[in-house]
Amino acid sequence: MATAGLPEPTSPPLDPAGKTVMGASDIARCLRRMAHEILERNKGADDLVVLGIPSRGVELGNRLAAMLEQVEGRGIPAGSLDITMHRDDLRHQPTRAPMRTHIPPPGIDGKVVILVDDVLYSGRTIRAALDALADLGRPRAVRLAVLVDRGHRELPIRADHVGKNLPTSVSEKVQVRLVGHDGIDDVVNIAGGESR
């Protein structure tokens, strides 16, 4: 099912051995449910700021903010949070180009920040995001929304809002593809791929 105004997804999974576990309608349904959960837990949209973690977390965050706006009837500030310089694997990985951080007015001090990412795995990306947030201000609360939680945590981090819990083995790879980046909305589970 295509999103209004967007091209019909036609490209195949990245790996022929991959199994599609979520399609476009599944992703939209999960984001809608998470939007309602966020509003219910927060008792409305007051003081909410949505920040996506690049790259696909930004697109998911923008979609989530749009759904929150549809329900509440008013704009929800949304932006992006680059975590590149806060990662703990910089010494072991090729050089990463920093991406854009955009904190919308009115900032994050005293706000409830909803961090959005595509896949929650070891928890190290979220730890880096928390460090990056601490450099920018002091939110009243930080909550985590992820499209897929695949398990295998290495740090004591859990998501507050999860689109889909997807049990995986460490050898599997979970690939989220989104229309804005890949021309298609889906989640593919690839056996024996690199861990994400």
mmCIF file of all heavy atoms in Angstrom, residues 101-126:
data_model
loop_
_atom_site.group_PDB
_atom_site.id
_atom_site.type_symbol
_atom_site.label_atom_id
_atom_site.label_comp_id
_atom_site.label_asym_id
_atom_site.label_seq_id
_atom_site.Cartn_x
_atom_site.Cartn_y
_atom_site.Cartn_z
ATOM 1 N N THR A 101 22.455 18.157 12.942
ATOM 2 C CA THR A 101 21.619 18.245 14.136
ATOM 3 C C THR A 101 20.751 19.484 13.979
ATOM 4 O O THR A 101 21.250 20.560 13.674
ATOM 5 C CB THR A 101 22.463 18.361 15.420
ATOM 6 O OG1 THR A 101 23.110 17.111 15.672
ATOM 7 C CG2 THR A 101 21.604 18.719 16.626
ATOM 8 N N HIS A 102 19.464 19.297 14.147
ATOM 9 C CA HIS A 102 18.527 20.425 14.079
ATOM 10 C C HIS A 102 17.611 20.335 15.291
ATOM 11 O O HIS A 102 16.803 19.409 15.406
ATOM 12 C CB HIS A 102 17.701 20.388 12.797
ATOM 13 C CG HIS A 102 16.552 21.339 12.823
ATOM 14 N ND1 HIS A 102 16.718 22.707 12.830
ATOM 15 C CD2 HIS A 102 15.219 21.129 12.879
ATOM 16 C CE1 HIS A 102 15.523 23.281 12.891
ATOM 17 N NE2 HIS A 102 14.597 22.349 12.921
ATOM 18 N N ILE A 103 17.786 21.267 16.209
ATOM 19 C CA ILE A 103 16.917 21.343 17.388
ATOM 20 C C ILE A 103 15.892 22.442 17.120
ATOM 21 O O ILE A 103 16.253 23.612 16.999
ATOM 22 C CB ILE A 103 17.727 21.660 18.669
ATOM 23 C CG1 ILE A 103 18.833 20.638 18.874
ATOM 24 C CG2 ILE A 103 16.792 21.720 19.879
ATOM 25 C CD1 ILE A 103 18.380 19.211 19.033
ATOM 26 N N PRO A 104 14.613 22.070 17.003
ATOM 27 C CA PRO A 104 13.606 23.084 16.676
ATOM 28 C C PRO A 104 13.337 23.995 17.864
ATOM 29 O O PRO A 104 13.542 23.603 19.014
ATOM 30 C CB PRO A 104 12.368 22.240 16.357
ATOM 31 C CG PRO A 104 12.559 20.984 17.140
ATOM 32 C CD PRO A 104 14.044 20.744 17.201
ATOM 33 N N PRO A 105 12.905 25.245 17.595
ATOM 34 C CA PRO A 105 12.443 26.066 18.704
ATOM 35 C C PRO A 105 11.262 25.356 19.330
ATOM 36 O O PRO A 105 10.518 24.719 18.596
ATOM 37 C CB PRO A 105 12.010 27.378 18.047
ATOM 38 C CG PRO A 105 12.347 27.265 16.598
ATOM 39 C CD PRO A 105 12.765 25.871 16.310
ATOM 40 N N PRO A 106 11.102 25.321 20.590
ATOM 41 C CA PRO A 106 11.747 26.141 21.612
ATOM 42 C C PRO A 106 12.902 25.440 22.324
ATOM 43 O O PRO A 106 13.118 25.669 23.516
ATOM 44 C CB PRO A 106 10.592 26.387 22.580
ATOM 45 C CG PRO A 106 9.793 25.116 22.494
ATOM 46 C CD PRO A 106 9.951 24.606 21.090
ATOM 47 N N GLY A 107 13.659 24.592 21.671
ATOM 48 C CA GLY A 107 14.766 23.892 22.313
ATOM 49 C C GLY A 107 14.284 22.671 23.070
ATOM 50 O O GLY A 107 13.141 22.224 22.914
ATOM 51 N N ILE A 108 15.176 22.117 23.916
ATOM 52 C CA ILE A 108 14.822 20.899 24.646
ATOM 53 C C ILE A 108 14.762 21.081 26.154
ATOM 54 O O ILE A 108 14.288 20.186 26.856
ATOM 55 C CB ILE A 108 15.793 19.746 24.315
ATOM 56 C CG1 ILE A 108 17.216 20.094 24.736
ATOM 57 C CG2 ILE A 108 15.714 19.392 22.839
ATOM 58 C CD1 ILE A 108 18.177 18.922 24.671
ATOM 59 N N ASP A 109 15.212 22.213 26.666
ATOM 60 C CA ASP A 109 15.187 22.409 28.117
ATOM 61 C C ASP A 109 13.762 22.329 28.658
ATOM 62 O O ASP A 109 12.861 23.016 28.181
ATOM 63 C CB ASP A 109 15.788 23.770 28.495
ATOM 64 C CG ASP A 109 17.296 23.805 28.324
ATOM 65 O OD1 ASP A 109 17.930 22.734 28.442
ATOM 66 O OD2 ASP A 109 17.842 24.891 28.065
ATOM 67 N N GLY A 110 13.565 21.455 29.632
ATOM 68 C CA GLY A 110 12.268 21.293 30.263
ATOM 69 C C GLY A 110 11.230 20.579 29.411
ATOM 70 O O GLY A 110 10.077 20.470 29.801
ATOM 71 N N LYS A 111 11.619 20.083 28.271
ATOM 72 C CA LYS A 111 10.693 19.417 27.361
ATOM 73 C C LYS A 111 10.752 17.896 27.521
ATOM 74 O O LYS A 111 11.674 17.358 28.116
ATOM 75 C CB LYS A 111 11.025 19.756 25.897
ATOM 76 C CG LYS A 111 11.062 21.235 25.606
ATOM 77 C CD LYS A 111 9.722 21.879 25.808
ATOM 78 C CE LYS A 111 9.759 23.364 25.477
ATOM 79 N NZ LYS A 111 8.518 24.039 25.841
ATOM 80 N N VAL A 112 9.752 17.224 26.967
ATOM 81 C CA VAL A 112 9.769 15.766 26.871
ATOM 82 C C VAL A 112 10.258 15.443 25.460
ATOM 83 O O VAL A 112 9.581 15.724 24.484
ATOM 84 C CB VAL A 112 8.376 15.155 27.117
ATOM 85 C CG1 VAL A 112 8.409 13.642 26.897
ATOM 86 C CG2 VAL A 112 7.889 15.484 28.520
ATOM 87 N N VAL A 113 11.470 14.905 25.389
ATOM 88 C CA VAL A 113 12.081 14.601 24.103
ATOM 89 C C VAL A 113 11.765 13.153 23.748
ATOM 90 O O VAL A 113 12.024 12.233 24.535
ATOM 91 C CB VAL A 113 13.603 14.818 24.138
ATOM 92 C CG1 VAL A 113 14.257 14.309 22.851
ATOM 93 C CG2 VAL A 113 13.920 16.301 24.343
ATOM 94 N N ILE A 114 11.201 12.971 22.565
ATOM 95 C CA ILE A 114 10.968 11.630 22.030
ATOM 96 C C ILE A 114 12.088 11.349 21.034
ATOM 97 O O ILE A 114 12.141 11.946 19.956
ATOM 98 C CB ILE A 114 9.592 11.522 21.329
ATOM 99 C CG1 ILE A 114 8.458 11.999 22.235
ATOM 100 C CG2 ILE A 114 9.370 10.088 20.843
ATOM 101 C CD1 ILE A 114 8.254 11.192 23.494
ATOM 102 N N LEU A 115 13.028 10.493 21.416
ATOM 103 C CA LEU A 115 14.089 10.068 20.497
ATOM 104 C C LEU A 115 13.522 8.978 19.596
ATOM 105 O O LEU A 115 12.875 8.051 20.086
ATOM 106 C CB LEU A 115 15.270 9.491 21.276
ATOM 107 C CG LEU A 115 16.268 10.451 21.894
ATOM 108 C CD1 LEU A 115 17.331 9.667 22.647
ATOM 109 C CD2 LEU A 115 16.905 11.334 20.842
ATOM 110 N N VAL A 116 13.792 9.068 18.297
ATOM 111 C CA VAL A 116 13.248 8.099 17.348
ATOM 112 C C VAL A 116 14.394 7.466 16.558
ATOM 113 O O VAL A 116 15.254 8.172 16.027
ATOM 114 C CB VAL A 116 12.257 8.767 16.370
ATOM 115 C CG1 VAL A 116 11.644 7.738 15.435
ATOM 116 C CG2 VAL A 116 11.166 9.509 17.143
ATOM 117 N N ASP A 117 14.395 6.136 16.495
ATOM 118 C CA ASP A 117 15.376 5.420 15.686
ATOM 119 C C ASP A 117 14.684 4.268 14.980
ATOM 120 O O ASP A 117 13.575 3.870 15.356
ATOM 121 C CB ASP A 117 16.528 4.916 16.554
ATOM 122 C CG ASP A 117 17.810 4.680 15.750
ATOM 123 O OD1 ASP A 117 17.852 5.037 14.551
ATOM 124 O OD2 ASP A 117 18.778 4.133 16.319
ATOM 125 N N ASP A 118 15.353 3.726 13.966
ATOM 126 C CA ASP A 118 14.728 2.648 13.201
ATOM 127 C C ASP A 118 14.848 1.300 13.896
ATOM 128 O O ASP A 118 13.863 0.592 14.061
ATOM 129 C CB ASP A 118 15.265 2.597 11.768
ATOM 130 C CG ASP A 118 16.778 2.450 11.670
ATOM 131 O OD1 ASP A 118 17.483 2.552 12.701
ATOM 132 O OD2 ASP A 118 17.274 2.242 10.543
ATOM 133 N N VAL A 119 16.061 0.922 14.330
ATOM 134 C CA VAL A 119 16.277 -0.393 14.929
ATOM 135 C C VAL A 119 17.006 -0.231 16.262
ATOM 136 O O VAL A 119 18.022 0.459 16.328
ATOM 137 C CB VAL A 119 17.120 -1.303 14.003
ATOM 138 C CG1 VAL A 119 17.377 -2.660 14.659
ATOM 139 C CG2 VAL A 119 16.434 -1.493 12.658
ATOM 140 N N LEU A 120 16.498 -0.870 17.304
ATOM 141 C CA LEU A 120 17.187 -0.925 18.592
ATOM 142 C C LEU A 120 17.849 -2.291 18.697
ATOM 143 O O LEU A 120 17.188 -3.322 18.581
ATOM 144 C CB LEU A 120 16.190 -0.723 19.742
ATOM 145 C CG LEU A 120 16.762 -0.797 21.158
ATOM 146 C CD1 LEU A 120 17.885 0.216 21.367
ATOM 147 C CD2 LEU A 120 15.649 -0.576 22.181
ATOM 148 N N TYR A 121 19.161 -2.274 18.896
ATOM 149 C CA TYR A 121 19.941 -3.519 18.932
ATOM 150 C C TYR A 121 20.774 -3.532 20.211
ATOM 151 O O TYR A 121 20.257 -3.837 21.276
ATOM 152 C CB TYR A 121 20.776 -3.609 17.650
ATOM 153 C CG TYR A 121 21.664 -4.821 17.523
ATOM 154 C CD1 TYR A 121 21.252 -6.079 17.942
ATOM 155 C CD2 TYR A 121 22.924 -4.720 16.949
ATOM 156 C CE1 TYR A 121 22.066 -7.189 17.803
ATOM 157 C CE2 TYR A 121 23.745 -5.820 16.797
ATOM 158 C CZ TYR A 121 23.321 -7.049 17.233
ATOM 159 O OH TYR A 121 24.130 -8.142 17.101
ATOM 160 N N SER A 122 22.027 -3.132 20.152
ATOM 161 C CA SER A 122 22.905 -3.201 21.321
ATOM 162 C C SER A 122 22.579 -2.134 22.363
ATOM 163 O O SER A 122 22.861 -2.310 23.544
ATOM 164 C CB SER A 122 24.368 -3.066 20.896
ATOM 165 O OG SER A 122 24.612 -1.754 20.400
ATOM 166 N N GLY A 123 22.017 -1.010 21.926
ATOM 167 C CA GLY A 123 21.754 0.113 22.825
ATOM 168 C C GLY A 123 22.825 1.188 22.761
ATOM 169 O O GLY A 123 22.679 2.257 23.335
ATOM 170 N N ARG A 124 23.906 0.922 22.027
ATOM 171 C CA ARG A 124 25.029 1.875 21.981
ATOM 172 C C ARG A 124 24.682 3.161 21.220
ATOM 173 O O ARG A 124 25.146 4.236 21.583
ATOM 174 C CB ARG A 124 26.269 1.200 21.407
ATOM 175 C CG ARG A 124 26.792 0.131 22.345
ATOM 176 C CD ARG A 124 28.049 -0.553 21.852
ATOM 177 N NE ARG A 124 28.448 -1.584 22.792
ATOM 178 C CZ ARG A 124 29.184 -1.368 23.881
ATOM 179 N NH1 ARG A 124 29.575 -0.148 24.174
ATOM 180 N NH2 ARG A 124 29.505 -2.367 24.681
ATOM 181 N N THR A 125 23.869 3.053 20.200
ATOM 182 C CA THR A 125 23.431 4.252 19.478
ATOM 183 C C THR A 125 22.628 5.158 20.402
ATOM 184 O O THR A 125 22.805 6.382 20.405
ATOM 185 C CB THR A 125 22.584 3.862 18.245
ATOM 186 O OG1 THR A 125 23.412 3.140 17.335
ATOM 187 C CG2 THR A 125 21.993 5.080 17.557
ATOM 188 N N ILE A 126 21.772 4.575 21.210
ATOM 189 C CA ILE A 126 20.940 5.376 22.114
ATOM 190 C C ILE A 126 21.788 5.984 23.227
ATOM 191 O O ILE A 126 21.563 7.130 23.620
ATOM 192 C CB ILE A 126 19.786 4.530 22.690
ATOM 193 C CG1 ILE A 126 18.960 3.905 21.559
ATOM 194 C CG2 ILE A 126 18.908 5.364 23.606
ATOM 195 C CD1 ILE A 126 18.489 4.880 20.482
#
